[in-house]
Structures are given as structure tokens and as C-alpha cells.
């Protein structure tokens, strides 16, 4: 079976700060890492490879520096790596990115595509499902567990307070949560092989069939109005009233306090 | 001349650092306090391919080199000296002589399980009366048919009780002096091979340091490592490489103490400001950082020479001498800059200073390194 994993190089947000004036990310001097959800997706693919046998290809759209992340993926056990990189792709929003990635993926054969749920530098969670739309294949998002069974995937799909068990026929795309697993470490020998025996294939705009009007900044309809750090929600109060009436009264009082009524 | 590490070495360092911080650091104080060998860490190192870093893939290793292995010992020791020496004794003192002197059959049988990490290695040269004067071996090995019968004991053996495969030195012909010493591969569980006392130590307290006792212990003649009478050469050749490993352990300890101290002096306030603002603090740290960097260059150079297949005996001795004295000096200064807090077990530098001392003693004391160096230049 053939698995494609989409991975993105992101600034390590543990160490990243927002510029208080412009509201944009200060990326200088911040180490780059493989996006955590994507890494979980890669680990899921590698586990399928370990148990059932599979060829795992990692693909990214990004600057040439993303080479190091692709080598890391191969040092963990990915078989092939593809870097889609060209100035023409610069400034892409999720639409242009997913279109570009989908056009790259069309050049490959696959049974399963795994992406992370969202990238920690954008938090949109759009690229994975959009790729599935472009390719016309089913998409199961928010996978917190994943199994492969004769031509199907069985995915436990996470919600805030419950989960869904979804069985989908391959080919399909799933988006992975970092809760899916604990990714393995690279191995020293894997690192040597990634640099000395394997290659990162570089695809430019000429190597993918994509409408040039729909890529890069030009092809990006999204306008970011404002970026701001996530505010932490307070924990909330828990009370255990004796009767239902008491509970209703309590809620009513709080709503009145907040002038809802 | 280029002082930068290759991309693969840089990435390997990142791997080892991440592993050390996530898996090793959280245990460092506890295994020291309880004198507990960290079996779970060794198992994780096995899964991560760290137990056979310089071994060719055909023998189950990772197919990397000495430099990569040295980076692993450095990064582990940066957070835990015990874990650093477990890997160093296993790789430098058990794997390396098997790679250098083992027959194809011995490599298949003993090197492979060591390289995959299925088994752990140890090295037994030191005896109660043969320390610095390692030639004074009293353990005997007598040939009887196709077995050798071992009698005697070894002390201070790292990975002592936890290991499975031991490289042991013994006299096969007392009349020939150093030319009468031979090396053997001994497996745990061989009848007549038992363990004596466990040392209670100042530092590297999680490492398992034991006495090994051989009483009419029969080992197959096929387990002789290298030729008969050439054991002293095997031991000295092995220790040359081992010194780069201990140099890396010392380097890691010094670098770790420096990291910790830099963070501490920015936090700790006296006289209304962080102690980092005092010029004495700054100058101490400058000296510490300079010594650490010099030690690093010596250790990496020795590793580089070994990988290039060049002579490295003197450079290994220099690296070990300078790095271990650096470790002692830097950790001592680190405790000083922590004040009273640095003298307590609440702070890592207390353990690091205790761990550093051994690097000036094992695999040849600093005095022995000076002998090796001077013998090379006179
Ligand atoms: C924690 C620990 C782990 C160890 N692990 C191992 C192991 O895995 N395998 C193993 O085989 N051994 C191991 N050793 C033994 C170690 O290598 C020896 O302790 C070391 O070589 C010194 O020998 P010694 O203790 O007998 O000291 P001695 O030889 O008695 O030395 C005492 C002092 O005299 C000095 N000295 C001796 N001879 C001379 C001389 N000619 N000129 C000047 N000064 C001299 C020494 O430098 C030292 O300062 C370990 C020791 C310890 C403490």
C-alpha cells in the first residue's frame, strides 16, 4: 500500500512571539520543527508500514530550508520525500497551498493520504480537507486513532465530548491529531541514510500541473485582518445543586447578572 | 580547515539532545539518589538505535562513525553522567575491541547482539593489584582441551552486573609478562562466573560498578579475542578509543554545568540585581565557556582522527586529560556560582560535580594520560 503524508515546517511556537505592533509572527532566530500534528500523521503512517508494509512518501510545499525536515522524516523511516518549492508559490494561503499540494499529489499514486489537523503557525485546519476536495476523495478529520483493514480505514474521530467511529474506503484522506500517538525518534543510522543514500526530490512550478493564477500570493483570496495570541479561557465554576429547580435558578441568576435577561 | 559538523552530525546531535532532555534528564537525580541502574533508559536507547552507533549495518549496527557516537555520549552526559558512561563502556570498551579484533564468527555471535542493543557489554581489566599498572594481571587462564579455565577477580567494572558480554583479560603465560596476557569474551551465566560487591560511589551512582569473580570458570577457546599473548595490546588499543568516550562524557558534564549555571545566574538576585551582573560572575563564565569549547575541539579532533583511520592515541589522551580536568574545574565553579544552593541535591550542579571527578580517574588517571602524552613527544 502507498501512503502520502503532508508535512509542514513551522516555527517552534514554544519559542515564538508576536510582534506587539504589527501582530505578525517574529520568526527570526526561532528554531523550525516538523508541525506536531503532521509528525503524528507520519508516525501513524510508519506504524502501518511496520505492521502491514507500506511505502511512505512525505511531501511539503515550502522554502528550500524545508529540506532538513524532509530528511528528518526519512530518518524516522519515510521512504521518499518531495519538496515543492518555487518563488511562485510564495505567500500562499490555504486555498493556494492545498491546490498546489493536490497537484503534486496527482503525480503520485496513493491509497491513503494523511495530513495533520492544523499547523501551529496558522491554526486553520483547512489544508487537509481542501486537498481531499481538490482530489475528489473522502476526508475523515480529527483522527485520534487509526486502523487499516482490507481496503478501509477505521478512524476514531475526536469531538469535544464524544467520538465517532468512521469506516472509510480507501483512497481517502485523514487529518491526524497529535494525540494519535507518540512519534518515534529518528535513528542515527536513519539520519546517515537520509543524507547519504536518499534524495529529496525537488519539484518547481514547472513540475506540477496547476493554474498559475491560483498559486502563491496572487492565487490567495484570504486576507488576514488581525493576528492575536490565544487568550486562555478561565476554567469556569462547577457547582452541584441538589435539585433541578435549584440548578435552573442558579443559571437564571447568572444570566441576569450578565444582563442576558 | 573546517570546524563545522556535517549536516548528518548536526541532525544526530539534535536527536541525542531531544532524547536526553525527554528521556534521560527526568531520571538523573532519582537514579543518583537511589543508586539505580536505569534499565528503562537503556531499553529506549536500544529502540532508538543508540547502542550500536559506529557498528557497520552488516553486524546490526547503525553504520555511523565515532563522531556520531561521541555526540551521543556528550549529549547524554550533559544531563546525566551515569547514562553517558553506560553508553561509553558498552560502545568503546566492549563493541570496539570486538570490531577491531573479533573473528567473523565472534562478530556474528557477540558483536551483533551488542550492536542491536539486545545485549549490554562490559570490560574487565582492573584488579585489586592491577590498576594503573594493568600489566600486573593476576587472573589466570589455563588451557584445558578446547576450553580455558579462568580464575581470579576483577574490580570496579562498569555495567558490572547489568552486562551480558564481558571482555576479560587474564594471564595465559605468567613467565612472559605483558606478552603473557590474553583477552577473552565471557558471557554472563557461564558457570564459575559470579559477582562480588557493588561499589558505593561518590558519583555516577546509577552506573553498576561491580566486582567480577571467576572460579574455575570454563570458557570455549574460541572465545579468545585476538591472538594468545596479545591481550595487553587489545586492552591498550581499546582504552585509546575509550578515552575519547570518557573525554566526551567529561565534555558533556562540563557543558551541562555551564548551561545550568548560565540560566541560574540570570535568575538569582543579590544586592538588588541578578548575580549575572557582577563582573566576577561574567569572567568566571567566560573562562568556563572557553575551557568547554577547547575541550570540545580536542575531543572532536581525536574522534575525527579515529574515523579517518589515522593514529590518535596521543590526541585521545590529550582530549581525555583536558576534558576531564575541565569537567572538574567547570563543575566546581558552577557549584560556587550557585552558592549554598549548589551544595544541595535540589540543584543538578551538585551531582555534576560528583560525577565529574571519576573522569579524571577511570580509563587511565590524568597522570597516566600525561605519561602517554609525554611518551609520544619525548
Ligand atoms: C567508577 C569506576 C568505574 C571503573 N570502570 C572500570 C571498568 O569498566 N573496567 C576496568 O577495567 N576498570 C574500571 N575502573 C578502574 C579504573 O580504571 C582504575 O581505578 C584506574 O585505572 C586507577 O587504578 P587504581 O584505582 O588501582 O589506582 P592506582 O593505580 O592505585 O593509582 C593511585 C594513584 O597513583 C597514581 N599512580 C599510579 N602509578 C603511577 C605512576 N607510575 N606515576 C605516577 N602516578 C602514578 C595514579 O595516577 C593515582 O593518582 C573503574 C574505576 C571506577 C572507580
Amino acid at each position: 500500500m502507498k501512503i502520502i503524508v503532508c508535512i509542514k515546517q513551522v516555527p517552534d511556537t514554544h519559542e515564538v512571539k508576536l510582534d506587539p505592533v504589527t501582530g505578525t509572527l517574529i520568526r527570526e532566530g526561532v528554531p523550525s520543527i516538523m508541525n506536531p500534528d503532521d509528525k503524528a500523521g507520519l508516525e501513524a503512517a510508519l506504524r502501518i508500514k511496520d505492521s502491514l508494509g507500506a511505502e511512505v512518501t512525505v511531501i511539503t510545499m515550502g522554502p528550500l530550508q524545508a529540506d532538513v525536515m524532509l530528511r528528518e522524516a526519512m530518518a524516522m523511516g519515510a521512504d521518499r520525500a518531495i519538496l515543492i518549492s518555487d518563488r511562485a508559490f510564495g505567500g500562499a494561503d490555504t486555498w493556494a497551498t492545498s491546490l498546489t499540494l493536490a497537484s503534486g499529489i496527482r503525480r503520485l499514486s496513493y491509497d491513503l493520504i494523511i495530513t495533520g489537523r492544523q499547523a501551529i503557525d496558522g491554526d486553520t485546519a483547512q489544508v487537509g480537507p481542501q486537498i481531499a476536495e481538490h482530489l475528489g476523495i473522502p476526508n475523515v478529520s480529527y483522527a485520534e486513532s487509526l486502523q487499516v483493514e482490507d481496503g478501509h480505514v477505521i478512524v476514531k474521530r475526536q469531538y469535544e465530548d464524544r467520538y465517532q467511529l468512521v469506516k472509510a474506503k480507501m483512497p481517502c484522506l485523514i487529518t491526524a491529531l497529535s494525540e494519535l500517538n507518540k512519534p518515534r525518534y529518528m535513528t542515527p543510522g536513519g539520519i546517515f541514510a537520509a543524507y547519504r543514500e536518499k534524495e529529496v526530490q525537488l519539484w518547481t512550478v514547472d513540475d506540477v500541473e496547476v493554474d498559475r493564477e491560483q498559486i502563491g500570493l496572487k492565487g490567495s483570496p484570504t486576507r488576514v485582518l488581525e493576528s492575536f495570541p490565544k487568550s486562555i479561557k478561565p476554567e469556569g465554576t462547577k457547582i452541584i445543586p441538589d435539585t433541578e429547580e435549584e440548578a435552573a435558578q442558579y443559571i437564571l441568576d447568572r444570566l441576569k447578572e450578565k444582563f442576558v435577561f | 580547515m573546517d570546524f563545522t559538523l556535517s549536516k548528518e552530525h548536526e541532525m544526530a546531535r539534535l536527536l541525542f539532545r531531544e532524547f536526553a532532555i525527554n528521556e534521560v534528564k527526568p531520571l538523573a537525580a532519582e537514579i543518583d539518589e537511589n543508586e539505580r541502574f536505569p534499565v528503562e533508559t537503556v531499553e529506549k536507547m536500544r529502540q532508538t538505535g543508540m547502542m550500536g552507533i559506529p557498528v557497520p549495518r552488516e553486524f546490526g549496527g547503525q553504520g555511523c562513525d565515532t563522531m556520531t557516537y561521541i555526540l551521543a555520549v556528550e549529549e547524554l552526559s550533559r544531563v546525566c553522567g551515569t547514562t553517558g558512561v553506560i553508553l561509553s563502556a558498552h560502545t568503546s570498551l566492549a563493541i570496539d575491541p570486538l570490531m577491531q579484533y573479533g573473528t567473523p564468527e565472534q562478530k556474528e555471535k557477540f558483536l551483533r547482539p551488542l550492536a542491536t542493543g539486545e545485549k549490554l557489554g562490559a570490560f574487565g581489566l582492573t584488579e585489586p593489584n592491577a590498576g594503573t599498572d594493568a600489566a600486573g594481571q593476576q587472573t589466570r587462564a589455563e588451557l584445558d582441551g578446547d576450553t580455558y579455565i579462568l580464575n581470579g577477580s576483577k574490580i570496579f567494572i562498569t555495567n558490572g552486573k547489568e552486562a551480558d558480554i564481558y571482555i576479560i583479560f587474564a594471564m595465559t603465560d605468567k613467565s612472559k609478562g605483558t606478552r603473557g596476557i590474553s583477552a577473552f569474551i565471557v558471557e554472563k551465566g557461564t558457570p564459575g562466573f559470579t559477582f562480588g560487591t557493588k561499589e558505593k560511589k561518590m558519583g555516577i551512582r546509577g552506573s553498576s560498578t561491580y566486582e567480577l569473580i571467576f572460579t574455575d570458570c570454563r570458557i570455549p577457546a574460541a572465545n579468545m579475542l585476538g591472538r594468545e599473548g596479545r591481550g595487553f595490546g587489545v586492552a591498550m588499543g581499546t582504552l585509546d578509543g575509550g578515552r575519547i568516550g570518557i573525554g566526551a562524557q567529561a565534555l558533556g558534564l562540563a557543558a551541562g554545568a555551564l548551561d545550568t549555571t548560565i540560566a541560574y545566574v540570570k535568575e538569582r538576585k543579590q544586592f538588588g540585581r541578578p548575580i549575572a551582573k557582577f563582573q566576577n560572575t561574567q569572567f568566571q563564565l567566560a573562562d568556563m565557556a572557553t575551557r568547554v569549547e577547547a575541550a570540545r575541539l580536542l575531543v572532536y579532533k581525536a574522534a575525527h582522527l579515529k574515523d579517518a583511520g589515522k593514529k590518535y592515541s596521543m590526541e585521545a589522551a590529550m582530549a581525555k586529560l583536558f576534558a576531564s580536568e575541565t569537567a572538574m574545574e567547570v563543575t566546581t565553579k558552577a557549584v560556587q556560582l550557585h552558592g549554598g544552593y549548589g551544595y544541595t541535591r535540589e540543584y543538578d550542579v551538585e551531582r555534576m560535580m560528583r560525577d565529574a571527578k571519576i573522569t579524571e580517574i577511570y580509563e587511565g588517571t590524568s597522570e597516566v594520560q600525561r605519561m602517554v602524552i609525554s611518551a609520544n613527544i619525548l
Side-chain angles (χ1 to χ4, degrees):
Chain A
M1 110 177 241
K2 293 191 170 172
I3 308 174
I4 295 172
V5 187
C6 301
I7 59 179
K8 184 184 184 187
Q9 191 180 40
V10 293
D12 189 348
T13 47
H14 288 300
E15 312 206 14
V16 93
K17 293 189 179 68
L18 280 186
D19 185 320
V21 184
T22 62
T24 54
L25 289 176
I26 305 171
R27 290 180 191 246
E28 256 139 69
V30 178
S32 294
I33 57 167
M34 191 187 305
N35 182 52
D37 284 349
D38 305 358
K39 202 169 183 176
L42 173 58
E43 175 64 27
L46 295 174
R47 288 187 189 181
I48 296 170
K49 177 180 168 178
D50 290 344
S51 60
L52 304 171
E55 188 201 54
V56 177
T57 302
V58 285
I59 187 166
T60 193
M61 184 192 89
L64 293 173
Q65 296 90 286
D67 180 89
V68 64
M69 172 196 64
L70 294 167
R71 305 270 176 193
E72 181 187 344
M74 291 193 287
M76 287 170 68
D79 301 286
R80 285 177 68 187
I82 294 158
L83 171 57
I84 305 182
S85 189
D86 199 302
R87 294 189 87 112
F89 298 130
D93 67 358
T94 61
W95 169 261
T97 301
S98 61
L99 205 64
T100 306
L101 280 169
S103 60
I105 291 171
R106 273 197 203 95
R107 291 191 50 183
L108 304 163
S109 56
Y110 55 86
D111 301 291
L112 179 62
I113 300 172
I114 305 178
T115 73
R117 168 188 47 182
Q118 64 190 42
I120 54 175
D121 62 344
D123 280 343
T124 68
Q126 292 167 358
V127 172
Q130 285 176 3
I131 292 173
E133 285 303 309
H134 293 313
L135 296 172
I137 57 172
N139 154 45
V140 186
S141 53
Y142 297 176
E144 64 171 10
S145 85
L146 165 68
Q147 260 173 285
V148 172
E149 227 177 70
D150 63 314
H152 291 76
V153 287
I154 298 164
V155 178
K156 191 169 165 186
R157 194 166 180 239
Q158 191 191 67
Y159 286 87
E160 228 164 80
D161 56 346
R162 72 216 130 96
Y163 64 85
Q164 254 180 358
L165 216 50
V166 181
K167 186 171 178 182
K169 194 161 184 277
M170 293 193 284
C172 63
L173 181 147
I174 68 160
T175 76
L177 302 181
S178 43
E179 291 94 312
L180 187 57
N181 51 46
K182 180 173 184 281
R184 68 194 63 192
Y185 289 101
M186 299 179 274
T187 59
I191 293 171
F192 268 52
Y195 277 104
R196 297 185 180 182
E197 289 157 27
K198 294 180 180 174
E199 268 178 61
V200 168
Q201 263 173 284
L202 180 66
W203 289 353
T204 66
V205 68
D206 299 324
D207 298 305
V208 290
E209 255 177 63
V210 63
D211 178 355
R212 296 198 179 210
E213 293 306 308
Q214 300 212 43
I215 57 169
L217 192 58
K218 202 167 43 173
S220 296
T222 312
R223 293 289 166 266
V224 177
L225 296 180
E226 194 194 346
S227 307
F228 49 90
K230 272 187 204 162
S231 57
I232 299 163
K233 283 189 208 157
E235 232 192 62
T237 20
K238 236 186 204 163
I239 57 147
I240 306 168
D242 291 333
T243 64
E244 286 163 13
E245 285 77 23
E246 230 180 274
Q249 191 57 51
Y250 181 84
I251 294 171
L252 199 62
D253 291 345
R254 294 293 88 71
L255 289 174
K256 275 186 184 149
E257 244 173 57
K258 299 213 183 273
F259 307 108
V260 178
F261 286 118
Chain B
M1 194 165 189
D2 183 357
F3 285 100
T4 53
L5 287 177
S6 70
K7 286 179 178 166
E8 45 271 47
H9 288 126
E10 278 297 351
M11 189 174 275
R13 182 200 285 291
L14 279 180
L15 158 65
F16 302 138
R17 182 166 298 173
E18 200 183 328
F19 182 91
I21 289 171
N22 294 340
E23 317 293 342
V24 181
K25 193 171 198 274
L27 298 183
E30 181 263 313
I31 62 170
D32 171 70
E33 188 65 31
N34 298 323
E35 302 186 288
R36 183 177 76 77
F37 183 90
V39 269
E40 65 272 52
T41 307
V42 176
E43 169 56 19
K44 285 177 191 164
M45 291 203 286
R46 182 191 68 73
Q47 288 168 9
T48 312
M50 288 168 69
M51 301 307 280
I53 294 171
V55 181
R57 276 190 269 179
E58 53 173 317
F59 293 112
Q62 295 288 312
C64 303
D65 50 17
T66 310
M67 184 63 90
T68 311
Y69 150 64
I70 285 309
L71 292 169
V73 176
E74 178 189 346
E75 290 300 329
L76 293 173
S77 304
R78 210 164 170 143
V79 300
C80 175
T82 286
T83 309
V85 77
I86 293 170
L87 184 64
S88 183
H90 170 81
T91 312
S92 282
L93 301 186
I95 280 182
D96 203 62
L98 281 164
M99 280 208 292
Q100 276 194 63
Y101 307 100
T103 62
E105 296 75 31
Q106 289 172 340
K107 286 183 179 166
E108 197 49 48
K109 187 162 178 206
F110 302 111
L111 177 58
R112 178 179 295 284
L114 288 173
T116 58
E118 187 196 319
K119 296 199 167 160
L120 188 69
F123 174 92
L125 176 67
T126 306
E127 298 182 359
N129 295 313
T132 298
D133 182 14
Q137 295 283 311
Q138 289 177 347
T139 299
R140 296 181 325 270
E142 280 167 80
L143 188 62
D144 178 35
D146 56 2
T147 58
Y148 278 92
I149 307 171
L150 271 184
N151 275 294
S153 71
K154 299 286 168 184
I155 50 162
F156 297 149
I157 306 309
T158 302
N159 291 346
K161 211 173 186 174
E162 303 295 330
D164 308 282
I165 294 171
Y166 300 77
I167 310 296
I168 298 295
F169 298 85
M171 279 285 182
T172 39
D173 188 346
K174 216 171 162 92
S175 66
K176 290 193 181 147
T178 48
R179 286 263 162 204
I181 298 172
S182 303
F184 297 92
I185 307 160
V186 182
E187 290 179 86
K188 183 188 244 161
T190 310
F193 172 19
T194 54
F195 301 99
T197 46
K198 174 184 179 171
E199 300 300 338
K200 287 182 80 74
K201 305 188 295 291
M202 173 196 281
I204 55 162
R205 283 157 48 97
S207 81
S208 162
T209 314
Y210 269 88
E211 180 185 11
L212 314 181
I213 302 167
F214 303 97
T215 323
D216 292 332
C217 173
R218 281 182 179 270
I219 46 176
N223 283 15
M224 181 179 276
L225 182 63
R227 299 222 305 273
E228 182 172 330
R230 296 295 172 86
F232 196 69
V234 172
M236 293 303 120
T238 301
L239 288 173
D240 278 342
R243 284 167 190 157
I244 313 178
I246 300 308
Q249 186 202 15
L251 166 63
L253 281 163
L258 180 61
D259 294 342
T260 312
T261 307
I262 290 172
Y264 183 79
V265 299
K266 291 190 208 164
E267 295 287 322
R268 174 67 176 168
K269 288 201 177 86
Q270 284 294 280
F271 298 97
R273 50 193 180 147
I275 58 172
K277 295 283 179 206
F278 301 125
Q279 194 180 51
N280 176 63
T281 307
Q282 295 162 0
F283 282 11
Q284 295 292 338
L285 285 170
D287 287 347
M288 290 156 75
T290 304
R291 285 206 61 145
V292 168
E293 188 57 21
R296 181 170 288 127
L297 292 177
L298 282 171
V299 171
Y300 288 7
K301 182 177 174 197
H304 170 76
L305 289 173
K306 186 168 195 286
D307 282 333
K310 300 201 173 126
K311 273 191 62 185
Y312 64 91
S313 174
M314 179 178 75
E315 288 79 0
M318 288 173 164
K320 198 237 172 205
L321 171 64
F322 190 81
S324 59
E325 295 192 351
T326 295
M328 204 58 240
E329 187 181 314
V330 168
T331 54
T332 307
K333 285 186 168 174
V335 169
Q336 190 68 20
L337 287 170
H338 277 69
Y341 298 95
Y343 195 66
T344 69
R345 295 218 169 162
E346 284 294 296
Y347 286 82
D348 290 335
V349 290
E350 182 270 345
R351 184 186 70 252
M352 290 168 163
M353 182 176 162
R354 286 185 287 107
D355 285 354
K357 183 62 208 175
I358 189 60
T359 64
E360 294 181 319
I361 296 172
Y362 56 19
E363 303 202 24
T365 59
S366 290
E367 293 70 36
V368 168
Q369 309 311 325
R370 290 188 166 90
M371 289 183 215
V372 172
I373 297 163
S374 57
N376 270 276
I377 56 178
L378 282 173

